[in-house]
Amino acid sequence: MQTASSSHRLPQVATTLPGPQSRALFARHDAQLTGANGDHEVYPLVEAGKQDHLIVDVDGNTFADHLSAWGASPFGATPPAVKSAMEAAWDRHGMQISGWLPNQAALALVDKLVAIAPGRLRRVEYSVSGTLAVEGAVKFMREATRRPLVITFGGQYHGESTYMTAGASSDLSNVSSGRTQYAAGVVMVPYPNRFRSPFRRGPGPFDECEVLDYLDYLLVQQVHPGQVAGVLVEPVLGEGGIHAPSQRFWTRLGALCRRWGWLLCLDEVQTCMGRCGAMFAMQRWQDIDPDLLLLGKAFAAGGQPIAAILGTDAVMAATELHLGSTYGFAPAACAGALAGIGLIEAGGVLENVRALERIFLEVLSPLKGEVEQLGDVRAVGAMAAVEFVRSTSCITPAPAFQFAVHQECLRRGVLGISQRGKWHLRLQPALNMPQALFRFSCEMLADAIRAVAKAPPAEHPTVQDAVAMAAR
Ligand code: PMP
């Protein structure tokens, strides 16, 4: 089974999952944690620790880590440069509230961010999580334009605040199932998707600029363009299944923004700091000119929580907003983030990311056409997804198939990103995962897909049924 030739260690799963030790811990802690933590099929293990790119569970099983702390651990388990920088800053400063008390650690990071920030972005606002950065950006857009509305794209994810969960939809119909609120001021347009269009049947490739035609229609029928403060968009759709719009889309969206005075806010929480093979994902295209850009996840470099809002002088210079957060830009977090940027600038990381993208497409693409349920294969740097359908002609989503593939991957020691009710499975390795381990993982994923295709699981009658089940 373990076909990759390499000098590094391959994962090894020796028990059924969950193993007996994990099972015992689940039994005890299910009574102590919230019910939302009680689904042990999604991740049927308790981590004992991490070693480079392997997760070790309490039963001694090891798994190739394709979660990378959901993108927040971009250099493997404990990158030495990040660790020593954090320790040195902590020795000097301990904890500090950087938004109130200026300190050298935070200011050194600000200097670096301004130096690498693309386009007109010249200012930094401190933050601590992606969610808070998005909330802050919405406030900046409204303050700067004195307009109320924000355009977002369906399938995006912006965190778990009460407001922005309503401004996103990747977590299926959570909003309408009453788990979060409907929020005023959000106009949602489908995310550009070449494979699956809400306006058409069957598989693409479609012209994904149709969603901008739809936006034009909304601007006549429903929304006055002069009421729109800005557009909140992920340059590559992450939680929604790894979709990268075309250059044409960005050119047209930029023209719309200029025409109507809308601010362009890129949510790069998941795509920043090398994840997509460039420092910022927006650099994969020409002429994207954001007014705001949000950093999170990989920005922490695997260290402590940190996020940021980058903005133009026009948006941020005269602001009266105070978006302070106690932990935003804590000194040790800043030092770790700075060390992480240093690792990327030292070279080799972005090249590795682009090689991972090629490997994923090379290994998985041939299954299209061979496996009836494999609808699409997508990779943008070290963000990769396979999308499952009931049959390639009708492309009705196949969430049960996706979940079965995930279980087969786990048995083969490959821990990717899977969520109930969704029909895409993702790999999100560290940016410096050795190529042989990544290739091995892709081969295991291909193997798992072929195994499940031999006896595909029953799907719920409709996708809405599957979503309702997932939401229970
Ligand atoms: N924006 C995007 C694009 C994200 O992917 C996420 C997290 N998955 C967030 C915002 C929220 O970030 P956090 O979990 O740090 O609050």
Side-chain angles (χ1 to χ4, degrees), residues 11-227:
Q12 209 81 58
V13 175
T15 71
T16 53
L17 295 174
Q21 305 290 340
S22 290
R23 201 177 286 279
L25 286 167
F26 288 149
R28 187 156 96 241
H29 293 292
D30 279 352
Q32 299 169 340
L33 294 166
T34 74
N37 293 295
D39 185 343
H40 304 305
E41 271 183 298
V42 183
Y43 292 113
L45 59 127
V46 174
E47 180 181 286
K50 288 196 285 187
Q51 293 165 1
D52 294 332
H53 300 279
L54 294 183
I55 290 175
V56 185
D57 81 0
V58 289
D59 293 284
N61 299 311
T62 53
F63 303 85
D65 181 4
H66 292 279
L67 273 186
S68 64
W70 225 274
S73 187
F75 303 113
T78 49
V82 176
K83 185 174 177 215
S84 59
M86 284 197 317
E87 280 173 1
W90 192 77
D91 284 343
R92 277 170 70 110
H93 299 278
M95 174 54 80
Q96 189 50 273
I97 176 164
S98 299
W100 288 95
L101 204 107
N103 59 75
Q104 286 180 319
L107 295 178
L109 179 59
V110 169
D111 274 337
K112 179 50 114 183
L113 287 176
V114 172
I116 65 172
R120 295 174 295 123
L121 303 171
R122 279 195 248 300
R123 289 181 184 258
V124 180
E125 168 70 35
Y126 301 161
S127 199
V128 75
S129 70
T131 306
L132 278 180
V134 181
E135 292 275 335
V138 170
K139 291 185 191 175
F140 274 125
M141 289 197 277
R142 288 182 171 154
E143 182 195 47
T145 60
R146 303 199 182 282
R147 298 174 178 185
L149 301 177
V150 173
I151 293 171
T152 71
F153 292 85
Q156 294 190 162
Y157 179 81
H158 302 293
E160 295 296 337
S161 64
T162 14
Y163 190 74
M164 278 328 296
T165 31
S169 67
S170 85
D171 279 351
L172 305 170
S173 46
N174 274 1
V175 174
S176 51
S177 63
R179 292 159 159 230
T180 53
Q181 62 187 19
Y182 289 100
V186 177
V187 180
M188 200 179 283
V189 183
Y191 193 89
N193 183 329
R194 279 190 292 281
F195 176 67
R196 181 182 289 286
S197 163
F199 309 115
R200 286 152 179 267
R201 299 217 167 89
F206 297 121
D207 170 7
E208 90 282 41
C209 289
E210 281 180 340
V211 302
L212 294 179
D213 298 337
Y214 176 65
L215 182 56
D216 280 338
Y217 166 84
L218 281 186
L219 295 180
V220 176
Q221 299 293 330
Q222 197 190 350
V223 180
H224 192 289
Q227 292 291 297

Side-chain angles (χ1 to χ4, degrees), residues 4 81 84 86 110 125 178 182 237 247 258 322 336-337 363 397 417 449:
S84 59
M86 284 197 317
V110 169
E125 168 70 35
Y182 289 100
L237 189 68
Q247 178 65 49
R258 281 191 300 280
H322 179 72
V363 177
I417 295 184
I449 293 170

Side-chain angles (χ1 to χ4, degrees), residues 70 72 128-134 156-161 170 233-239 267-271 294-297 305-307 383 426 428:
W70 225 274
V128 75
S129 70
T131 306
L132 278 180
V134 181
Q156 294 190 162
Y157 179 81
H158 302 293
E160 295 296 337
S161 64
S170 85
V233 58
E234 291 183 56
V236 178
L237 189 68
E239 303 302 322
D267 182 345
E268 288 238 18
V269 167
Q270 187 156 158
T271 56
L294 312 180
L295 305 177
K297 291 187 185 284
I306 187 164
M383 295 166 96
R426 291 192 280 150
Q428 195 170 55

Side-chain angles (χ1 to χ4, degrees), residues 308-328:
I309 309 174
L310 306 183
T312 59
D313 284 339
V315 172
M316 284 189 171
T319 184
E320 288 174 2
L321 289 174
H322 179 72
L323 301 172
S325 121
T326 306
Y327 297 115

